[in-house]
Amino acid sequence: MKYARPLPSYMVTRYQGWKATTHAENKSWYRRLADEGQRPRAMIISCCDSRVHVTSIFGADQGEFFIHRNIANLVPPYNPDGENHGTSAAVEYAVNALKVSHLVVLGHSSCGGVAGCYDMCSGNAPELEEKTSFVGRWMEILRPGFDALPEGDDESRKSALEKISVTVSLNNLMTFPFVQKAVEEGTLSLHGLWNDIGEGTLESYDPDVDGFVTI
């Protein structure tokens, strides 16, 4: 592959530091992970945003979470059409093969994907309306959430849409027959979270109040 290039030097240096310290001090743990395979207790679907650091938020060790990241932490509806479906494949593997006990959708503040969806649905991002825009087509998953937004200023509505991205994904998860079955049998629980990056706070969706409450 003629277009591939060596890693930038800062990444090489960081890797070498990790290998000489963290890995060297925990060799038996890494060998156990390699030999025994993964047994994560939870799957977390989070945004690709580089500011969202799932393992740091929960103080998780390697092998503890099965993490899938995509634009705006969205789950599409169940659609077994024979095409390529990365997020749906990850959900299927987590539930059917890994038998995770918890499936968490984690949204966050200042989400660029959600803002893009808001602008697109408001008619202010025609480039995202193009059929050639992968981001635009992906954000169509959230359009029903935009249509349900209450009146208000743009910033408050965008913030509300960030949390709606979580509930839309939770609802879509229940369209997967194997997810619904596991939930009804009590072997799987679904959770919705929203993280304020600046404040470090975490809010959890509470169905009793149909809203998010601070943890």
Side-chain angles (χ1 to χ4, degrees):
M1 178 61 184
K2 66 179 181 179
Y3 298 108
R5 294 289 184 268
L7 279 175
S9 59
Y10 81 92
M11 294 180 70
V12 173
T13 299
R14 289 184 180 183
Y15 158 71
Q16 291 173 338
W18 170 83
K19 187 69 166 60
T21 56
T22 303
H23 184 272
E25 294 164 4
N26 298 277
K27 280 186 178 180
S28 61
W29 168 245
Y30 288 105
R31 285 173 180 158
R32 179 180 174 184
L33 285 176
D35 293 341
E36 297 182 3
Q38 60 172 326
R39 294 188 181 89
R41 292 184 290 176
M43 176 185 188
I44 298 185
I45 299 173
S46 68
C47 185
C48 293
D49 194 303
S50 60
R51 299 167 295 176
V52 180
H53 204 312
V54 175
T55 53
S56 292
I57 291 173
F58 296 104
D61 293 324
Q62 259 182 296
E64 190 172 351
F65 292 153
F66 184 72
I67 300 173
H68 177 75
R69 305 181 72 146
N70 63 42
I71 300 296
N73 43 265
L74 290 173
V75 176
Y78 179 69
N79 183 25
D81 58 3
E83 299 297 329
N84 300 322
H85 295 278
T87 296
S88 299
V91 171
E92 178 184 14
Y93 187 73
V95 175
N96 290 346
L98 297 177
K99 308 293 185 184
V100 296
S101 299
H102 306 278
L103 207 166
V104 180
V105 178
L106 174 62
H108 69 96
S109 62
S110 304
C111 181
V114 170
C117 176
Y118 184 89
D119 291 340
M120 177 182 72
C121 295
S122 300
N124 297 320
E127 69 280 4
L128 294 180
E129 297 279 9
E130 298 292 333
K131 295 298 183 183
T132 53
S133 172
F134 294 111
V135 173
R137 303 292 60 71
W138 179 251
M139 296 313 301
E140 283 290 341
I141 297 170
L142 188 53
R143 187 180 286 274
F146 172 85
D147 293 338
L149 280 173
E151 293 298 321
D153 62 88
D154 287 337
E155 289 309 308
S156 64
R157 297 181 85 213
K158 285 180 183 179
S159 181
L161 192 58
E162 290 169 355
K163 295 179 180 179
I164 290 174
S165 75
V166 175
T167 56
V168 164
S169 292
L170 290 175
N171 286 330
N172 286 345
L173 278 168
M174 288 299 288
T175 67
F176 288 73
F178 49 86
V179 172
Q180 182 179 1
K181 181 174 183 288
V183 169
E184 291 176 349
E185 291 178 347
T187 60
L188 175 69
S189 59
L190 305 184
H191 311 272
L193 300 176
W194 179 83
N195 171 231
D196 187 312
I197 293 174
E199 297 298 323
T201 53
L202 197 63
E203 298 182 17
S204 176
Y205 176 74
D206 184 344
D208 291 336
V209 299
D210 191 23
F212 286 76
V213 295
T214 301
I215 295 177

